[in-house]
Amino acid sequence: MKTVLMVAEKPSLAQSIARILSRGSMSSRKGLNGTCSVHEYSGAFEGQPARFKMTSVCGHVMTLDFLGKYNKWDKVDPAELFSQAPTEKKEANPKLNMVKFLQVEGRGCDCIVLWLDCDKEGENICFEVLDAVLPVMNQARSGKQTVFRARFSSITDTDICAAMARLGEPDHNEALSVDARQELDLRIGCAFTRFQTKYFQGKYGNLDSSLISFGPCQTPTLGFCVERHDKIQSFKPETYWVLQAKVDVDKDRSLLLDWDRVRVFDREIAQMFLNMTKLEKEAQVEATSRKEKAKQRPLALNTVEMLRVASSALGMGPQHAMQTAERLYTQGYISYPRTETTHYPESFDLKGPLRQQANHPYWADTVKRLLAEGINRPRKGHDAGDHPPITPMKSATEAELGGEAWRLYEYITRHFIATVSHDCRYLQSSVSFRIGPERFTCTGKAVISPGFTEIMPWQSVPLEESLPTCQKGDTLAVAEVKLLEKQTSPPDYLTEAELITLMEKHGIGTDASIPVHINNICQRNYVIVESGRRLKPTNLGIVLVHGYYKIDAELVLPTIRSAVEKQLNLIAQGRADFRQVLGHTLDVFKRKFHYFVDSIAGMDELMEVSFSPLAATGKPLSRCGKCHRFMKYIQAKPSRLHCSHCDETYTLPQNGTIKLYKELRCPLDDFELVLWSSGSRGKSYPLCPYCSNHPPFRDMKKGTGCNECTHPSCQHSLSMLGIGQCVECESGVLVLDPTSGPKWRVACNRCNVVARCFENAHRVRVSAETCAACEAALLDVDFNKAKSPLPGDGTQHTGCVFCDPVFQELVELKHAASCHPMHRGPGRRQGRGRGRGRRPAGKPGPRRPKDKMSALAAYFV
């Protein structure tokens, strides 16, 4: 019997597909990584009995990164990243152990069926899965196909079973185009980002952005926003005049007429026209027309249009809308949401999805009437050759989906029903009048048949007052003619919907990546989202774009990236060589980078006008160990300390608060220590600004605090305050927080585990002695006499927090939480390495206890 491994892109997809193919008769178990499940069932494959194993990945298995020293900003010239820096594929999320998991499940399998998303990224993930699985699968007989690709657009019984019946092969060219895009974005983005971040953050203190990033797609996206800002700033309003006439139809009714000249910009000429008409008593009808017109139903829905509407009408950001659509897809409510196509193929079953909506409380009547009278074929749109347009696949209610998922689903469903409805038909009437020498017009509309606007009422023809029945030569009394003075107004800031349109028009990004690029410029503090989801550039975003224009406009204009996207599409079609496209593009950007570096003074001149130098920013906080003068604490991102006398800047840990730590000094460099804290329920630790930026010991990493320093005698170091290995992560050590009393805390120096213990203790100290059972450091605890929980009114006790029965009972009684991950059963973490904290000579390194984890009350922050 063959064993067939099947891999989907997400755990929820794997479960849905397995349930459909097995018709519900499957067994499920958790994989070794604890995240992905494995669903097993028996069936037939290629006409033979087979055992199926359906599992999943969690997006990309691998990611591209630089090797070794090339990941360290201080050790490599950014120019080397274009060609000399070697890259490697490494696990995208090491904690998931995805490669090992796939190899365990793939070992001994005869065939593999890839159910990854059917787009370029999905094809790329296919080959990441194959790289992990093929070496451990059974060897195939010569010429026998063992790798299969399922292509599908929705999670329905019909689509999934059809995909299983017509399996193909993964497309290597499409996967290569993604590899090329990843490498280009990595090399180009990192080179420019590293250079300009180090250059400008080393000079200015109020940039308020932790990273001055550059991206081949991100930067042109920002350019569109700044271009609109510049138009607003340079706009000069002009005064113009409009002639407005009103005529009486009868005693109770009048009509406003529009001037055929529309407007004039000269006051004297406008006054002349007024003088020529204001004395006239009658308006003569010169012509009338009545014409039936149609408002076309919408084209079928693709990704870009969905994102536009989500932003402009539903108030959802593009990235959030995309994530919501993906959830609706994995739950089977809609078809695949990433598509450029707006045309349904002739073979597409339009009535099937429509029947699903026949009993929906909101639109059942409309759907039933369409099914009874016959649907209208959707308009012929653009066929990009990828997926069918976004279509609702099953009915859902607001109670079932809730919130924003329902609003997006409702729009997708209404849009689909509209595409198979009839056009809206209306009668447009117009009457032309002459008042003196000037001509005026009045128009009106009356709906004949609402068509698709019945299901999309916001698209309906606006109700207008019906026009009187007139014949050529008829006259109406002129009620008044007056001159209105108005001013031209500037354009508004770009909305997300308008930006998406510009990006699509100029070929910046793909339907999948457009939301990411827009989100990036928001996250980098280059633009802020204002009411109406309008994107207003910040000072930093404006200066960057103006700087690029000043040095090399092609860095910000969409032309060069659009050309690169075309080359990448040629790779996907097999019409361009991967290496040649990669080499040529990198060579172009390398030349641009060198010119940018040589001309950076041009951008710096703009920065000087908008931002303050480091020396003039921040407030004095702690003393420098070199000159013993106060360094200034710059709170704006990235937070750091700057010594203006030594002209040195020291980066601090982010996303927390910084304050002076008791005016204590580091024994190595005489810098005053500062205390970093993530909040009252989080963890805190002291750090030396100099040691954190220039680690004094080989086993210390840059950016760490005293809780990772291995100094043998410093009272703040890991050597003196370390207790034992973290109960949650492999490499962390639990360290006493000496500032946390009287609500004492022990925190891991690597992960976010914090343990509370010994509340109301007067003093807690890490002892030089270790536990005989687990070798963790003992704690000397001195309780307040009035609140001592120790038996017999005792106030002092020394013991191991893991093994000592007094501490165990005390901690479990007051803080233990059985629902916490560390209490999920014995043996969960057996076999891991021991603690790695270093202690003075004579003190064994602390290690994690194996059987008594529940003695410590831990919770995640």
Side-chain angles (χ1 to χ4, degrees):
M1 182 183 287
K2 281 186 177 181
T3 301
V4 180
L5 178 67
M6 302 199 294
V7 183
E9 190 154 322
K10 293 173 183 165
S12 56
L13 270 179
Q15 184 179 17
S16 299
I17 295 170
R19 186 181 292 119
I20 292 170
L21 294 176
S22 68
R23 294 180 178 159
S25 58
M26 64 182 187
S27 61
S28 301
R29 59 180 170 83
K30 278 286 185 186
L32 67 84
N33 63 5
T35 301
C36 302
S37 296
V38 182
H39 312 283
E40 298 179 280
Y41 65 96
S42 296
F45 187 74
E46 294 189 313
Q48 298 179 12
R51 185 172 70 93
F52 292 91
K53 295 167 68 176
M54 173 57 119
T55 188
S56 72
V57 291
C58 295
H60 274 284
V61 179
M62 311 299 287
T63 187
L64 189 70
D65 204 356
F66 293 115
L67 278 170
K69 70 173 185 177
Y70 292 95
N71 271 320
K72 297 178 181 178
W73 288 33
D74 297 329
K75 294 191 175 181
V76 175
D77 181 350
E80 295 181 33
L81 302 181
F82 284 98
S83 54
Q84 298 177 29
T87 59
E88 65 172 342
K89 289 268 190 177
K90 61 182 184 182
E91 286 202 53
N93 190 342
K95 291 182 179 179
L96 291 178
N97 285 318
M98 194 59 72
V99 172
K100 184 178 179 182
F101 164 69
L102 289 171
Q103 289 176 341
V104 167
E105 298 303 332
R107 193 174 303 279
C109 289
D110 301 291
C111 300
I112 181 170
V113 180
L114 299 157
W115 290 85
L116 284 306
D117 286 351
C118 298
D119 57 12
K120 291 173 185 174
E121 295 289 338
E123 296 302 319
N124 191 261
I125 300 172
C126 281
F127 287 90
E128 292 175 355
V129 171
L130 292 176
D131 287 342
V133 171
L134 286 181
V136 299
M137 286 175 56
N138 292 337
Q139 294 296 314
R141 285 179 293 174
S142 179
K144 187 72 172 174
Q145 183 180 356
T146 59
V147 175
F148 299 87
R149 177 72 161 106
R151 303 191 185 279
F152 57 101
S153 295
S154 62
I155 313 301
T156 61
D157 293 17
T158 304
D159 211 5
I160 295 301
C161 292
M164 190 67 181
R166 56 171 199 275
L167 296 173
E169 296 183 9
D171 190 324
H172 190 243
N173 289 326
E174 287 198 349
L176 278 178
S177 73
V178 175
D179 284 338
R181 178 181 283 107
Q182 287 178 348
E183 188 163 346
L184 289 174
D185 289 349
L186 176 72
R187 293 185 182 277
I188 297 167
C190 284
F192 278 91
T193 297
R194 289 185 189 183
F195 171 72
Q196 61 189 28
T197 298
K198 288 175 65 179
Y199 187 89
F200 292 120
Q201 284 187 352
K203 294 190 70 174
Y204 303 102
N206 57 342
L207 297 175
D208 201 24
S209 182
S210 54
L211 203 66
I212 315 299
S213 65
F214 174 94
C217 287
Q218 170 195 299
T219 302
T221 302
L222 174 61
F224 291 131
C225 300
V226 175
E227 182 183 13
R228 176 62 63 88
H229 168 83
D230 291 342
K231 286 181 180 178
I232 294 170
Q233 294 302 307
S234 61
F235 182 84
K236 293 181 179 178
E238 288 186 81
T239 303
Y240 64 91
W241 289 266
V242 175
L243 208 58
Q244 187 183 82
K246 185 191 291 186
V247 295
D248 291 329
V249 178
D250 51 43
K251 289 183 180 180
D252 302 319
R253 187 179 170 204
S254 59
L255 290 176
L256 280 176
L257 309 183
D258 297 320
W259 191 23
D260 282 9
R261 294 185 191 273
V262 183
R263 62 184 180 180
V264 293
F265 287 88
D266 189 302
R267 168 75 197 218
E268 292 183 0
I269 292 176
Q271 187 64 46
M272 178 191 71
F273 285 127
L274 177 64
N275 294 337
M276 293 164 63
T277 55
K278 69 180 181 180
L279 298 178
E280 296 291 331
K281 303 297 183 183
E282 291 182 337
Q284 185 175 1
V285 176
E286 292 226 312
T288 63
S289 70
R290 291 165 66 85
K291 187 180 294 183
E292 185 177 314
K293 291 193 171 185
K295 183 174 184 178
Q296 283 190 313
R297 61 198 182 280
L299 287 168
L301 186 63
N302 67 1
T303 305
V304 169
E305 181 62 19
M306 180 190 72
L307 295 177
R308 271 197 289 254
V309 172
S311 176
S312 60
L314 306 181
M316 299 170 67
Q319 190 167 44
H320 179 53
M322 198 70 233
Q323 291 167 348
T324 305
E326 286 173 350
R327 282 199 302 275
L328 290 171
Y329 162 66
T330 57
Q331 293 165 357
Y333 290 107
I334 64 173
S335 62
Y336 193 61
R338 292 178 178 169
T339 177
E340 297 176 10
T341 294
T342 58
H343 174 72
Y344 283 107
E346 295 296 325
S347 59
F348 192 91
D349 178 17
L350 292 165
K351 289 186 177 180
L354 199 59
R355 289 192 193 100
Q356 291 282 333
Q357 308 294 334
N359 296 312
H360 197 282
Y362 284 10
W363 42 72
D365 293 343
T366 303
V367 170
K368 286 176 180 175
R369 188 167 62 253
L370 279 171
L371 290 170
E373 296 175 358
I375 64 172
N376 195 21
R377 249 337 266 185
R379 290 167 56 196
K380 186 174 178 62
H382 169 64
D383 186 359
D386 49 0
H387 289 272
I390 303 168
T391 308
M393 301 312 295
K394 66 179 180 182
S395 183
T397 62
E398 186 172 3
E400 193 176 338
L401 297 178
E404 292 179 330
W406 160 253
R407 292 196 295 130
L408 187 60
Y409 172 82
E410 181 187 14
Y411 170 73
I412 291 169
T413 305
R414 287 182 181 274
H415 189 109
F416 168 69
I417 297 170
T419 61
V420 295
S421 298
H422 293 276
D423 292 344
C424 170
R425 292 187 298 116
Y426 62 93
L427 187 66
Q428 180 167 297
S429 306
S430 68
V431 181
S432 295
F433 294 90
R434 183 172 57 80
I435 303 176
E438 291 304 295
R439 287 180 171 80
F440 297 81
T441 305
C442 186
T443 59
K445 296 173 184 175
V447 175
I448 300 170
S449 172
F452 78 93
T453 63
E454 186 178 8
I455 194 70
M456 298 178 80
W458 60 90
Q459 294 275 14
S460 59
V461 174
L463 292 174
E464 294 182 2
E465 193 173 10
S466 60
L467 299 182
T469 303
C470 299
Q471 301 293 329
K472 184 177 180 181
D474 290 350
T475 58
L476 295 177
V478 176
E480 69 172 339
V481 179
K482 61 182 179 180
L483 200 60
L484 301 179
E485 182 179 308
K486 298 185 178 183
Q487 277 195 330
T488 56
S489 56
D492 213 333
Y493 284 103
L494 282 179
T495 62
E496 286 173 332
E498 291 168 336
L499 179 58
I500 291 167
T501 302
L502 285 170
M503 294 174 72
E504 181 191 33
K505 176 183 175 182
H506 292 280
I508 301 300
T510 63
D511 53 3
S513 66
I514 282 174
V516 177
H517 301 315
I518 296 175
N519 186 63
N520 281 343
I521 63 173
C522 297
Q523 293 292 320
R524 298 286 184 259
N525 195 34
Y526 294 161
V527 299
I528 54 174
V529 182
E530 296 194 324
S531 61
R533 302 209 66 85
R534 295 191 178 275
L535 302 170
K536 182 178 180 180
T538 63
N539 275 347
L540 180 58
I542 294 166
V543 170
L544 282 174
V545 169
H546 289 173
Y548 294 134
Y549 271 116
K550 192 173 183 180
I551 296 172
D552 182 355
E554 284 191 338
L555 292 175
V556 73
L557 289 172
T559 48
I560 192 166
R561 181 61 192 193
S562 180
V564 171
E565 288 290 346
K566 289 176 183 176
Q567 292 296 310
L568 294 175
N569 286 332
L570 290 176
I571 294 175
Q573 296 163 17
R575 295 165 54 195
D577 182 74
F578 167 80
R579 286 290 162 202
Q580 287 181 353
V581 171
L582 195 65
H584 173 71
T585 307
L586 286 175
D587 183 60
V588 169
F589 273 96
K590 184 178 181 180
R591 295 170 187 271
K592 289 183 174 296
F593 176 78
H594 283 297
Y595 183 75
F596 179 74
V597 171
D598 293 340
S599 310
I600 194 64
M603 185 181 282
D604 197 25
E605 289 173 0
L606 302 177
M607 286 280 186
E608 285 178 346
V609 176
S610 299
F611 300 102
S612 305
L614 279 173
T617 313
K619 297 180 180 179
L621 179 69
S622 65
R623 290 186 183 273
C624 171
K626 296 179 180 179
C627 65
H628 297 101
R629 288 178 169 85
F630 276 105
M631 295 188 293
K632 285 188 174 181
Y633 172 45
I634 299 165
Q635 198 167 357
K637 290 182 181 180
S639 57
R640 53 209 190 274
L641 287 166
H642 177 71
C643 177
S644 55
H645 185 265
C646 302
D647 196 22
E648 293 280 355
T649 303
Y650 303 97
T651 303
L652 297 171
Q654 305 299 304
N655 304 317
T657 58
I658 293 285
K659 61 182 180 181
L660 191 62
Y661 184 51
K662 303 177 183 178
E663 297 186 358
L664 298 173
R665 294 178 180 267
C666 175
L668 291 175
D669 48 48
D670 211 30
F671 274 72
E672 280 188 334
L673 303 182
V674 294
L675 184 72
W676 177 88
S677 174
S678 62
S680 58
R681 292 182 59 84
K683 64 180 182 180
S684 57
Y685 55 82
L687 65 98
C688 165
Y690 189 85
C691 292
S692 183
N693 284 264
H694 306 92
F697 303 108
R698 288 184 181 178
D699 49 3
M700 271 187 74
K701 291 183 179 179
K702 188 174 180 180
T704 56
C706 297
N707 62 350
E708 291 192 52
C709 175
T710 53
H711 191 289
S713 59
C714 176
Q715 60 176 319
H716 316 291
S717 70
L718 170 64
S719 302
M720 301 302 286
L721 297 176
I723 298 171
Q725 184 174 327
C726 177
V727 295
E728 289 293 335
C729 67
E730 291 200 12
S731 57
V733 177
L734 292 173
V735 182
L736 176 68
D737 181 354
T739 68
S740 58
K743 296 182 178 180
W744 297 92
R745 289 178 301 203
V746 174
C748 176
N749 61 1
R750 293 291 174 88
C751 71
N752 58 356
V753 167
V754 177
R756 291 192 173 187
C757 50
F758 315 125
E759 191 167 346
N760 297 320
H762 176 68
R763 179 175 61 86
V764 178
R765 185 176 63 84
V766 181
S767 171
E769 299 176 7
T770 57
C771 175
C774 71
E775 297 183 13
L778 302 183
L779 292 181
D780 296 330
V781 184
D782 186 356
F783 285 98
N784 188 309
K785 188 173 183 179
K787 297 182 179 180
S788 175
L790 298 176
D793 296 329
T795 60
Q796 295 184 346
H797 187 78
T798 300
C800 173
V801 290
F802 301 108
C803 306
D804 188 280
V806 175
F807 284 169
Q808 278 187 3
E809 183 180 352
L810 175 65
V811 171
E812 288 177 349
L813 175 66
K814 302 192 84 173
H815 301 290
S818 60
C819 63
H820 190 270
M822 57 184 287
H823 303 297
R824 288 180 185 160
R828 179 168 173 262
R829 298 190 174 272
Q830 291 181 5
R832 289 195 176 179
R834 296 182 175 181
R836 296 174 185 160
R838 283 175 168 73
R839 305 182 65 78
K843 276 191 179 183
R847 74 176 182 183
R848 174 192 57 79
K850 291 183 180 178
D851 302 312
K852 299 184 179 180
M853 296 181 214
S854 61
L856 198 61
Y859 65 94
F860 285 109
V861 179

